[in-house]
Amino acid sequence: MDIVDRPNYPHEFIKADALEVLQDLDFLSEFDAYHGSPPCQAECTMTKGTNAHLADRYEDLYDPVRLFMGMTGKPGVIENPRSRKDMVLCGEMFGLGVIRHRNIELLNWSAPAPKHKKHRGRVRGYRHGVWYDGPYIAAYGKGGGKGTVQEMQEAMGIDWTDVHEELTEAIPPAYSEYIGHQLMAHLKGSGS
């Protein structure tokens, strides 16, 4: 679900305002669990650093998404820089070519976090005018040695889009798969 069309998304897509949907308790009652990734531009590392002057351009929806998802009483997953760090997932945990740390908050349930593995080196590219080589692709921005579209696809295990902006905002599918397996085990164990 997004407020803009995402024609490359590989599963059923609904163009809608997530906050309106989260307030529709009749619609929500059809589901056993929820996952949300509220827009993160206001709190992401790039905005807090290089692009701090742009922070007020972005709407922060973390608090209302967390409130509405929590009110359902059903298991929920929120991925956002402000999320409580019930899990911090990293590409190295899944053998990916990106580091891409993501905070994962679990509402109304719990699950074990995978062990964080030591990074094998640096992210490739320029940092403050100095070139660094490394086994990881920078899957954000353009220039300065950042990953190409093809490199980002390969590094994150994504074949459903070749749109740069979608790749820079995507969560590697391995993260969602791991959380999904944990959530399914929880639902089966709780009789849901």
Side-chain angles (χ1 to χ4, degrees):
M1 179 180 314
D2 203 333
I3 59 171
V4 297
D5 286 319
R6 298 289 181 193
N8 297 318
Y9 191 72
H11 303 288
E12 182 181 345
F13 176 79
I14 300 170
K15 183 177 178 181
D17 182 313
L19 293 183
E20 290 177 12
V21 172
L22 285 171
Q23 293 176 65
D24 183 348
L25 295 179
D26 289 333
F27 178 72
L28 290 181
S29 68
E30 298 176 28
F31 301 95
D32 294 323
Y34 311 100
H35 175 274
S37 293
C40 64
Q41 289 87 348
E43 292 289 327
C44 74
T45 302
M46 287 296 293
T47 303
K48 288 185 169 252
T50 307
N51 298 324
H53 64 285
L54 302 175
D56 60 356
R57 288 185 180 186
Y58 304 112
E59 189 171 7
D60 184 355
L61 301 178
Y62 168 76
D63 288 329
V65 166
R66 185 178 194 280
L67 174 70
F68 293 136
M69 285 178 65
M71 287 173 50
T72 68
K74 295 182 179 183
V77 176
I78 302 178
E79 177 275 328
N80 188 276
R82 291 185 52 209
S83 293
R84 186 178 62 228
K85 297 177 182 181
D86 297 327
M87 290 184 192
V88 177
L89 299 181
C90 169
E92 186 62 35
M93 295 171 168
F94 305 98
L96 299 176
V98 292
I99 293 177
R100 192 153 271 202
H101 292 109
R102 291 294 178 263
N103 298 339
I104 307 298
E105 183 169 352
L106 307 178
L107 298 171
N108 303 316
W109 72 292
S110 63
K115 183 174 173 37
H116 192 271
K117 295 182 178 181
K118 181 178 170 139
H119 299 163
R120 294 173 282 135
R122 293 193 65 121
V123 174
R124 181 194 79 197
Y126 282 99
R127 304 294 178 277
H128 308 288
V130 177
W131 174 262
Y132 295 96
D133 202 7
Y136 304 107
I137 297 300
Y140 56 88
K142 294 182 178 179
K146 306 285 191 303
T148 65
V149 164
Q150 184 177 355
E151 287 174 322
M152 286 190 278
Q153 288 174 309
E154 291 172 9
M156 291 192 289
I158 292 176
D159 61 4
W160 53 266
T161 186
D162 61 0
V163 176
H164 184 270
E165 181 241 352
E166 291 178 352
L167 288 164
T168 62
E169 294 188 3
I171 300 169
Y175 295 16
S176 300
E177 185 176 344
Y178 176 81
I179 296 165
H181 284 297
Q182 297 295 318
L183 182 55
M184 292 302 294
H186 170 78
L187 291 172
K188 288 178 183 175
S190 68
S192 294

